[in-house]
Amino acid sequence: MKKILLPVLFLICSTGANLAMADSNDSKQKSIVGQVETIKVHELDLDFKARIDTGAKTTSIHATDIKVIGEDSDSDNMREHLGHMVEFTATNENGDEVRYKGKIIKVSKIRNAQGVERRYAVKMDLGWNGEHKTVSVNLRDRSKLEYKLLIGRNWLSGDYLVDVDKKDEDD
């Protein structure tokens, strides 16, 4: 009886400890963001009034004059530029501009109301409320859109919850 009881008791104790550890990992406190937040793009040293969009998979920034360095930017196959450097001008809603160079880490195929388009993506460090998170950011001309930075699920995932009633402190 002892030979059976001891291993069973050990199994129950270790399973309980593992469940407690899993619960503590799942209960990590998530920060709550509103529909619009001020986000700092650290590489650009610029603040953006950003729209938080749970329907968008990837974060997008307003980028113009996008050029692949040392390559023909007009190539039909944008995937050939993966790993190359891209240079672009980013502009926030105040008209503050910064020229930036970054490595193309991804070429995304985006479906929207205008159809299907491809966009380059670079890694960027986005900060909010003293927190930092580095994510893939699509480069897109957002000049006709109110928000020059759109925060997608890739930034929200695992760390943030959205409260649509919460207002940005700057409003």
Side-chain angles (χ1 to χ4, degrees):
M1 181 78 167
K2 284 183 184 179
K3 288 183 179 182
I4 294 173
L5 191 56
L6 201 53
V8 169
L9 188 58
F10 179 73
L11 180 63
I12 291 170
C13 290
S14 66
T15 303
N18 287 340
L19 288 174
M21 287 176 63
D23 285 344
S24 69
N25 289 339
D26 291 342
S27 65
K28 175 189 166 205
Q29 191 68 26
K30 293 185 180 186
S31 297
I32 297 175
V33 295
Q35 292 184 77
V36 176
E37 293 290 350
T38 300
I39 304 289
K40 182 171 191 82
V41 180
H42 289 281
E43 288 83 354
L44 307 175
D45 196 27
L46 282 182
D47 288 337
F48 285 78
K49 189 161 288 260
R51 172 84 164 93
I52 311 299
D53 185 355
T54 59
K57 181 178 177 184
T58 307
T59 298
S60 289
I61 195 166
H62 177 48
T64 55
D65 194 25
I66 301 169
K67 296 186 184 336
V68 178
I69 299 171
E71 295 289 325
D72 176 15
S73 298
D74 295 329
S75 170
D76 287 340
N77 189 356
M78 292 174 68
R79 292 186 188 278
E80 290 176 6
H81 300 142
L82 279 170
H84 293 115
M85 297 297 286
V86 65
E87 186 174 28
F88 61 93
T89 300
T91 310
N92 68 10
E93 69 281 353
N94 297 326
D96 301 323
E97 286 187 355
V98 173
R99 193 81 181 145
Y100 180 73
K101 292 178 188 176
K103 182 179 176 181
I104 299 170
I105 58 150
K106 182 167 85 171
V107 175
S108 299
K109 185 177 181 180
I110 307 295
R111 287 177 185 84
N112 58 28
Q114 293 75 38
V116 176
E117 65 181 84
R118 293 205 181 269
R119 300 180 193 160
Y120 293 121
V122 298
K123 287 269 187 209
M124 294 189 128
D125 179 10
L126 307 180
W128 175 79
N129 203 24
E131 301 171 17
H132 289 256
K133 190 166 186 181
T134 301
V135 295
S136 174
V137 178
N138 286 331
L139 308 179
R140 177 176 189 234
D141 184 340
R142 298 181 59 83
S143 57
K144 293 186 170 97
L145 300 170
E146 180 177 357
Y147 297 99
K148 306 308 176 199
L149 181 63
L150 179 101
I151 299 295
R153 293 188 310 268
N154 66 331
W155 185 81
L156 294 165
S157 182
D159 298 307
Y160 301 97
L161 297 174
V162 181
D163 179 353
V164 295
D165 292 327
K166 184 178 180 287
K167 300 289 183 205
D168 186 8
E169 285 95 40
D170 294 341
D171 284 344

